[in-house]
Amino acid sequence: MTLVPMEERHLAALAQIEKACFHAPWSADMLREELGKGIFLVAEQDGAAAGYVGCQTVLDEGYITNVAVSPDCRRQGIGRALIAELAERAKRAGLAFVTLEVRASNTPAIALYEGAGFKPVGVRKNFYTAPSEDAVLMTLYLKE
């Protein structure tokens, strides 16, 4: 597995991964708008996109927008590697923290984020739709 910055060549495959993972997936055009912004990393296996993580940045703050791994590639450490590399790059970029929302029922994702050092810091009531569900707000602090 190789982790590389998201490029135009990844967009069609990432849009397909989005469709497989989310109720309201990002399209290739939506992903294209993020090129060159923030920290967007793609995990490649044998030259094909297996997953990605996206983090928008504002000043010294990072906001993870998407973490997605192709269903065929799960349970191989791809999500863990993406989160770890994102955290390392965010730290090198001088970000104070990285934060995200996750469905309260998504225990595998919550365990992944906790394993990477994220802490639950709040709840966003009815943040998700189809079905309606609360989001757990989790933050990884990168500076003291």
Side-chain angles (χ1 to χ4, degrees):
M1 173 183 44
T2 307
L3 302 179
V4 298
M6 182 175 73
E7 298 177 359
E8 178 77 30
R9 67 187 172 91
H10 297 119
L11 301 181
L14 296 182
Q16 289 304 311
I17 291 171
E18 280 275 321
K19 284 182 186 175
C21 294
F22 301 116
H23 169 72
W26 284 26
S27 67
D29 286 338
M30 293 168 77
L31 290 161
R32 184 175 290 109
E33 290 179 20
E34 301 302 323
L35 286 172
K37 298 178 186 174
I39 305 168
F40 281 75
L41 303 172
V42 177
E44 294 181 335
Q45 285 187 320
D46 302 320
Y52 85 106
V53 61
C55 180
Q56 296 174 341
T57 58
V58 178
L59 302 172
D60 67 344
E61 303 172 356
Y63 298 91
I64 294 179
T65 55
N66 305 50
V67 179
V69 175
S70 174
D72 297 340
C73 299
R74 291 186 182 154
R75 313 254 347 126
Q76 298 176 28
I78 293 170
R80 186 176 339 104
L82 284 164
I83 295 295
E85 182 64 19
L86 171 70
E88 182 58 36
R89 290 180 186 222
K91 196 172 201 175
R92 284 197 312 257
L95 298 187
F97 66 85
V98 176
T99 194
L100 57 82
E101 292 98 0
V102 59
R103 279 188 183 269
S105 65
N106 192 344
T107 53
I110 291 170
L112 170 70
Y113 303 136
E114 286 177 336
F118 284 76
K119 305 286 185 221
V121 296
V123 174
R124 297 194 195 279
K125 290 287 186 192
N126 300 313
F127 183 80
Y128 292 103
T129 58
S132 178
E133 187 172 355
D134 294 348
V136 177
L137 181 63
M138 300 185 76
T139 301
L140 173 66
Y141 295 98
L142 301 169
K143 292 182 179 178
E144 298 299 316

